[in-house]
Amino acid sequence: MRRLCAVLLTAAVTLSAPAPRGHADPPPGQSVSTLLGRLRTLHRSAEEATKAYEATDAKLRLQRAAVARSEEELARARTDLADSRDEAGRLAREQYRGTAEALSPVVTFLFTADPQPALDRRHELRRAAGRRAGTLGRLADGAQRISGLARRAREALDVQIGLAERKQKQRDTARGRLDEVEKLLAALTPAQLAELRRLEEHDVPARPLAGGPPPPPTQHGAMAVDFAYQQLGKPYVWGSAGPASFDCSGLTSQAWAHAGSAIPRTSQEQWRSLPKVPLDRLRPGDLVVYFQGATHVALYVGDGKVIQAPRPGTTVRLSPIAANPLLGAVRPDAGDDPLAPPLPVLLESAPALTRRTGTG
């Protein structure tokens, strides 16, 4: 993370300062538009590795909870088995004392004038035998249960170890690909960085949205949009979900958490689990998802614009909706009614917010 922040700062400084000694030469013979394509390809690859890492991390957290539950259940079973063993020992001692200190109930019945005590004694012995049989049965069941629980606990732990190893590999892959993004950015001249920024921010036309005026946002959607505007100018940092920096799905998930609605952390889970909405019926607060692998996501704010955390070397910004290849859109507040009367277009406040956050 520190290395990423340092690269972001270096990229910003190079816009106004000469390249330091040892600055890498820019890739020869490539236009800035070609470099932008390479940069987006590299970042998309890094995003795919990042989403795989985040999905595995979520599975690992669930698996750790499952291992903890297995261990707790196993500990309770061992306590129950110890109690059953204590009970079996107590009954065995009682039986031994009873055998040593008393005649057989049958002998007592034959040689006594009053047979009732012998009959009572026989009844007590039968009950004691029943208790012993029950205790022995619980001992056998407990031992079998502990064996099964111990096996499941070992299997759960093996799954946890495998997930942890997979998470580490995916984390290393994502960081390696982000390193490639950093190296490409570091090799650009100030003029190329300025042209790159211009191409990203101004040369992508907004996709026409047909079907008449879009509906106004819901109350929660308006809160999510307001939160996103307040993050303009904050740096992109891989794996970050605020408050000082964000990655793409960190921004969208936190915007909706601020609005009071918890949504999945990753763009792929957001695309998979939230209700789909046609692109020609977007309303502010909807999430716009990009690329076939759903590896990028942004928050729709109206007028064909989204707020997004694009990639390393950039900040949270306002962009045309078609700044990346569109996959579709989802709606976290599909069950809520739009606000009425309609609110003013939210973008009217964007210049003031942009000046306040130092972007633009």
Side-chain angles (χ1 to χ4, degrees), residues 18-353:
R21 181 175 300 178
H23 184 80
D25 292 332
Q30 294 188 16
S31 66
V32 175
S33 60
T34 301
L35 293 174
L36 177 58
R38 281 187 60 197
L39 188 61
R40 284 176 170 165
T41 299
L42 285 172
H43 183 237
R44 182 182 176 188
S45 179
E47 284 286 280
E48 289 173 350
T50 298
K51 300 313 172 188
Y53 159 78
E54 290 171 343
T56 301
D57 185 53
K59 291 179 181 178
L60 181 58
R61 288 195 298 270
L62 293 175
Q63 190 62 32
R64 282 172 176 160
V67 169
R69 288 194 299 270
S70 295
E71 290 175 346
E72 290 174 0
E73 190 174 3
L74 182 58
R76 288 195 298 269
R78 284 173 172 160
T79 299
D80 292 342
L81 182 62
D83 292 342
S84 296
R85 284 173 174 163
D86 290 343
E87 176 67 11
R90 186 183 65 80
L91 291 174
R93 289 190 296 272
E94 289 181 355
Q95 181 183 18
Y96 174 78
R97 287 195 300 268
T99 303
E101 296 172 1
L103 295 173
S104 164
V106 176
V107 175
T108 304
F109 179 79
L110 292 175
F111 291 96
T112 185
D114 183 4
Q116 189 59 45
L119 294 174
D120 294 340
R121 176 61 175 165
R122 185 176 184 184
H123 180 66
E124 291 174 3
L125 290 175
R126 284 178 175 172
R127 283 194 303 175
R131 289 197 301 272
R132 286 194 298 273
T135 300
L136 292 174
R138 285 194 298 273
L139 275 172
D141 292 343
Q144 186 175 6
R145 180 166 176 259
I146 282 178
S147 177
L149 288 173
R151 183 182 65 256
R152 288 195 293 272
R154 287 192 300 270
E155 291 171 353
L157 185 58
D158 288 342
V159 172
Q160 176 178 314
I161 293 171
L163 287 172
E165 292 175 349
R166 187 197 310 173
K167 174 186 170 181
Q168 184 61 47
K169 291 179 181 178
Q170 291 167 338
R171 183 184 183 92
D172 292 343
T173 299
R175 283 182 166 171
R177 291 174 182 172
L178 286 170
D179 284 343
E180 294 184 62
V181 175
E182 293 176 36
K183 290 176 182 177
L184 179 57
L185 287 171
L188 300 182
T189 65
Q192 286 175 316
L193 284 170
E195 178 66 10
L196 187 69
R197 183 169 298 171
R198 188 189 69 79
L199 284 175
E200 284 189 306
E201 295 182 354
H202 302 295
D203 284 1
V204 181
R207 173 172 172 156
L209 299 177
T218 65
Q219 180 179 357
H220 292 114
M223 293 171 66
V225 169
D226 180 68
F227 176 89
Y229 268 116
Q230 293 177 43
Q231 313 315 311
L232 288 173
K234 294 183 178 180
Y236 177 104
V237 172
W238 178 72
S240 179
S245 58
F246 295 90
D247 65 10
C248 66
S249 57
L251 176 65
T252 55
S253 61
Q254 286 304 303
W256 274 98
H258 174 80
S261 298
I263 64 172
R265 170 62 174 87
T266 70
S267 58
Q268 292 166 328
E269 282 299 304
Q270 290 170 6
W271 172 249
R272 186 187 66 80
S273 63
L274 297 175
K276 306 292 190 295
V277 59
L279 288 168
D280 60 358
R281 295 305 299 160
L282 290 176
R283 69 187 183 196
D286 290 341
L287 305 183
V288 181
V289 184
Y290 298 92
F291 303 110
Q292 285 302 313
T295 54
H296 187 63
V297 64
L299 187 80
Y300 185 68
V301 296
D303 196 31
K305 303 287 185 179
V306 295
I307 291 179
Q308 61 168 333
R311 58 169 176 77
T314 64
T315 60
V316 176
R317 64 176 55 165
L318 190 67
S319 306
I321 189 174
N324 291 293
L326 287 158
L327 177 62
V330 292
R331 179 166 290 169
D333 57 347
D336 296 349
D337 294 326
L339 291 170
L343 293 178
V345 177
L346 291 167
L347 286 173
E348 292 177 0
S349 61
L353 285 164

